[in-house]
Amino acid sequence: MATTVRRAVLTLPAAPLGPENPLPALHPLDEVHTLDDRTRAGLPRDMARQIGYEPLRTVLPTRLRDGYGRDRGPADLYTIVIENDRLRVTVLPGLGGRVHSLHHKPTGRELVYRNPVLQPADFALNGAWFSGGIEWNTGATGHTTLSCAPLHAAVVPAPDGGDMVRLWEWERLRDLPFQVDLWLPDGSDFLYVGVRIRNPHERSAPVYWWSNTAVPEGQGTRVLAPAEAAWHFGYERTLLQTALPEHDGTDRTYPLRSEYPADYFYDVPGDARKWIASLDADGRGLVQTSTDRLRGRKLFLWGAGSGGRNWQRWLTEPGTPGYAEIQSGLARTQLEHVRLDAGQEFSWLEAYGPLAADPAAVHGDDWAAARAETAARLEEALPRADVDAAHEAWQRYADTEPGETLATGSGWGALEVLRAGHKLPGTPFDASTLGEEQAPWLELLRTGVLPAPRRVAPPGPTLVAPHWRDMLETAPAEPHTEYHLGVAQWHAGDHAQAVRSWERGLRLAPSRWPLLRCLALADRAGGHPERAAELYAEAFDDLCAERRDDGEAWTAATAALARETLESLLGTGRAAAARAVQDRLWPALRDRGRFRLLEARLLLAEGDRAAARAVFDDGFEVADLREGAEILGDIWAELTDEPLPARYDFRMRPLRTPE
């Protein structure tokens, strides 16, 4: 059959994403992939330089996604299906362009881990993320803020004369447009993926990219790449080079032979062909290869310990097979960002397909022989020269204007194109995509005035790039404008000026709680926790007086501010004030797992250990438990010397020993 592109609907048990958090993300979520200066000092100079190159301060201008739960029901997901006589590819344009399924028709095999549910969890830079398939991570170290966001999608002519699907969006952390082109050459066993990131600005920009593929794990599954060493990153936040395949006496190329989750960044030689494969006990599985620009290769494993197994069940469905991840990136490790000069672009081609190799060689004791066998079978299935040629052919189509629209992303790219007049052939950001969130910023652009909201509601998102900050600084100094200006100044690192802007806005603000919350966070960051707690309490009082209903927007604001307020009050020993906040929550909020955990902490602060223990015994689930978080174990240890119950064990590293 000739390659076809069609629309379809996929029905999955899914937990609704819920609303965005309306509080500006003035500090990043706890990102586990960080290193201390001492560790970085011992790394190769180029790696250390790229690790230190413009790390992310906040996830602004994006907003946090933490409004989801764990109650799943049938949901119809819009998909794009690309199919030839060998492969069927299912894409989720509304969820970051994720490839949900890569089905090899001749063998009936699913080449990627196809998650049977859609369960958001707190793994993305801005919160909500889900596991499975192939995802496209750009922006900064971590899972992209677009994990659960819609992308633009359209049909575009493919290099072989058929059709391909183009996905594109404006990545807002770094203000860079990108595109992902997916096509299946007629009769091919491989999905081709052309990727391009452009820098339309007059300044250089830090770039991050890792293509992340979930693959089924099994007792006999091995992950191979053309490397003799790897950089091991554990959740102890250390980066150490180790020989392959063994680390600490165990062959870590088998995901289930480790106890704790870990990253292994394969140190692929510069002149070697770039590939990574996950092959089962029979030597069959998935291989990914690319042109040389995509130099990095990584294995992420959950391990066989109780924490990793719990995370697997949390992200998927109890009783289903687990998964590992094989990844490909622009740098050797995911801790690095790569410089993209003004007016330049990065582009490369990836290919994903089935591979069958001699299992005796793949799983033998000779690591060099296992790599050689896998590389030889890959060369037979898809020669390296063919990948380079496909990339060259695709580049001639990368600027082709899209045809039939398949999906629509955000209006933020259109706003940037209107502002700066960027010429981005192949990825149109049409003015028709501008929406309600962009409207006030469009008026600021056209009139120099940021309009105040027409109704009482939590504040909308803030734009923080230098050009928008400049416009805010010259706009009339109304309280609403001062609020947004302070957020932009905070993002730029000018904390003192941000505080002054928020204080000016507070004097005449009809809605005080957003400004009070910003000032509270600034005090906390500045080492004044007592003053921060007072401001948080005042902000929550003002919110409760102002909120109009228990609808989605006000519920999101109440939940977000209450959580920060409770943590601030408990951190400064103000149990009575914290109880007053907890008691003013609507019952539906108090029943959420996050607030059940806060209730246990509050009961501990009040001296009622038995009641705090009863909260754990009754059972709760913190839907937005952060990757690497140890709060459940820490609170349990305050309650008892008993072992942490399995249901609360999400530890990703060995227990810490007292210093």
Side-chain angles (χ1 to χ4, degrees), residues 14 56 132 193 204 209 241 256 262-263 291 326 328 331 352 381 384 393 405 430 456 473 475 494 528 542 556 637:
L56 205 63
V193 182
S204 61
W209 185 279
Q241 191 170 44
L256 286 176
D263 298 329
T291 48
I326 58 174
S328 306
Y352 297 79
R384 184 179 187 178
T405 297
D430 194 85
V456 177
E473 287 176 346
D494 192 349
H528 304 288
D542 191 69

Side-chain angles (χ1 to χ4, degrees), residues 129-142:
W129 172 86
F130 64 102
S131 63
I134 308 171
E135 60 176 305
W136 320 110
N137 289 305
T138 187
T141 297

